[in-house]
Amino acid sequence: MDDGLRDRWLQEAQRRMARAGMRAGAARTTVVALLARDGQCLVSAQEITSRLAGGAAGSAASVYRALEDLHTLGLLHRVYDDDGIARFEIADPAGRHHHFVDEQTGAIEPFVDPRLEEAIAATGRRLGIELTGHEVTLRGRRR
Amino acid sequence: MDDGLRDRWLQEAQRRMARAGMRAGAARTTVVALLARDGQCLVSAQEITSRLAGGAAGSAASVYRALEDLHTLGLLHRVYDDDGIARFEIADPAGRHHHFVDEQTGAIEPFVDPRLEEAIAATGRRLGIELTGHEVTLRGRRR
DNA sequence: TTATATGCAAAAGCTTTGCATGGGT
DNA sequence: ACCCATGCAAAGCTTTTGCATATAA
């Protein structure tokens, strides 16, 4: 786990939530804390809900509402897996990773590749597009 | 519309369906014909169902079943949009395109870029991955 | 004739929403 | 005090499934 990323994101999240006039209720506070730790790669609403079920706060409705709000604030990326279930991960202010799906295990793993980023930027220029975002999913098996 | 692609895919679809022991019922036959024409870029099950509603055959259940079967046979790609709805397009035996989402209009447009394909292949090698597939989605506005 | 395809209606699963209550600032 | 947040339960949507019937081969 990347502690620096966790702290940066947590701080940014609190800043943006405050600026939006949101208050620190128990449920969303817990969800945010959990995301800062475990949301560095894709997690679903249900995974969050069940991890919260052990503790005190966090109904399913509140989890979905928190995820929706955080996504609207630009604090989360939302991706739909091959099963059609929404999964979220924290939007790193410092950069972006993409996903590799291991077809043997089904595991999703993040990766970064500056040269791929550069190639995507070049594609945008070639197509005459001003890029505001992009997603890449690779599938295969580890050699 | 690419007539060559349409005919190639239709032929391949019929070949694979026959080999799988599937019979040419009215509903799936109509769905396959519609996909060959209109499935060159993403369409949803509901879009297909409503386009079929004018004609004689095609209940929603049969549409979903046809899409599932064709996907299993490797004849369709399935992609989940930002709204969480599954969209399908025909798997071109001759190559692959990706998607650009225009954030002004919401329109999804296909594009091809051989240099991007090369960059993705290079990323796979760099990561030590044997790639079996990949998807790229670009978001932005046309300049 | 026999396995496959279809349609309808019901069920399933994820997500959203209405409403009354609780809680932050 | 005032407005936001929460929880529960109900509703909404897409997608899947059971079952009886129809149909391709």
Side-chain angles (χ1 to χ4, degrees):
Chain A
M1 212 242 320
D2 180 338
D3 288 4
L5 168 55
R6 178 195 60 195
D7 296 342
R8 246 181 293 136
W9 184 80
L10 210 47
Q11 212 173 337
E12 182 64 22
Q14 278 157 358
R15 184 171 10 234
R16 292 197 203 175
M17 289 191 295
R19 196 176 312 163
M22 296 165 77
R23 295 176 186 178
R28 191 174 50 227
T29 299
T30 313
V31 170
V32 167
L34 191 151
L35 283 167
R37 281 186 289 109
D38 302 345
Q40 302 200 3
C41 199
L42 302 171
V43 289
S44 70
Q46 300 209 334
E47 286 163 353
I48 293 174
T49 302
S50 54
R51 284 181 211 178
L52 256 49
S59 70
S62 292
V63 170
Y64 280 105
R65 275 191 278 241
L67 291 170
E68 164 82 30
D69 294 343
L70 296 170
H71 180 253
T72 299
L73 290 176
L75 289 163
L76 293 179
H77 291 133
R78 180 174 56 197
V79 171
Y80 287 90
D81 233 340
D82 252 13
D83 55 7
I85 294 175
R87 287 170 187 277
F88 298 83
E89 66 187 3
I90 65 183
D92 185 353
R96 187 71 217 260
H97 69 251
H98 295 292
H99 298 108
F100 162 60
V101 180
D102 187 325
E103 298 215 304
Q104 317 244 270
T105 67
I108 302 175
E109 294 172 24
F111 71 88
V112 295
D113 185 340
R115 279 188 268 188
L116 180 56
E117 299 304 313
E118 200 176 313
I120 287 168
T123 297
R125 288 192 294 273
R126 221 169 283 142
L127 297 175
I129 289 167
E130 187 183 332
L131 289 178
T132 59
H134 60 273
E135 289 156 38
V136 178
T137 303
L138 304 184
R139 266 167 242 288
R141 40 181 164 271
R142 191 154 270 116
R143 210 184 296 259
Chain B
M1 210 246 316
D2 180 339
D3 288 2
L5 169 55
R6 180 196 59 195
D7 296 340
R8 247 180 293 135
W9 184 81
L10 210 48
Q11 211 173 340
E12 183 64 21
Q14 280 158 356
R15 184 172 9 237
R16 291 196 205 177
M17 289 191 295
R19 195 177 311 164
M22 295 165 77
R23 297 174 186 179
R28 189 172 54 227
T29 299
T30 312
V31 170
V32 167
L34 191 151
L35 284 167
R37 282 186 289 109
D38 302 345
Q40 303 200 1
C41 199
L42 302 171
V43 289
S44 70
Q46 299 209 335
E47 287 162 350
I48 293 174
T49 303
S50 54
R51 285 182 210 175
L52 256 49
S59 70
S62 291
V63 170
Y64 281 105
R65 276 192 278 241
L67 291 171
E68 163 82 30
D69 293 343
L70 295 169
H71 181 253
T72 299
L73 290 177
L75 289 162
L76 294 179
H77 291 133
R78 180 174 54 196
V79 171
Y80 287 90
D81 233 339
D82 253 12
D83 55 6
I85 294 176
R87 289 172 186 275
F88 298 82
E89 65 188 5
I90 64 184
D92 185 353
R96 186 72 217 259
H97 68 252
H98 295 294
H99 298 108
F100 162 61
V101 179
D102 188 327
E103 297 214 304
Q104 317 243 269
T105 66
I108 303 173
E109 295 171 25
F111 72 87
V112 295
D113 186 341
R115 279 188 268 189
L116 181 57
E117 299 305 312
E118 174 50 39
I120 287 169
T123 296
R125 290 192 294 272
R126 221 169 282 140
L127 297 175
I129 289 167
E130 186 183 332
L131 289 178
T132 59
H134 61 273
E135 290 157 36
V136 178
T137 304
L138 304 184
R139 267 169 242 286
R141 41 182 163 270
R142 190 154 271 117
R143 210 183 298 255

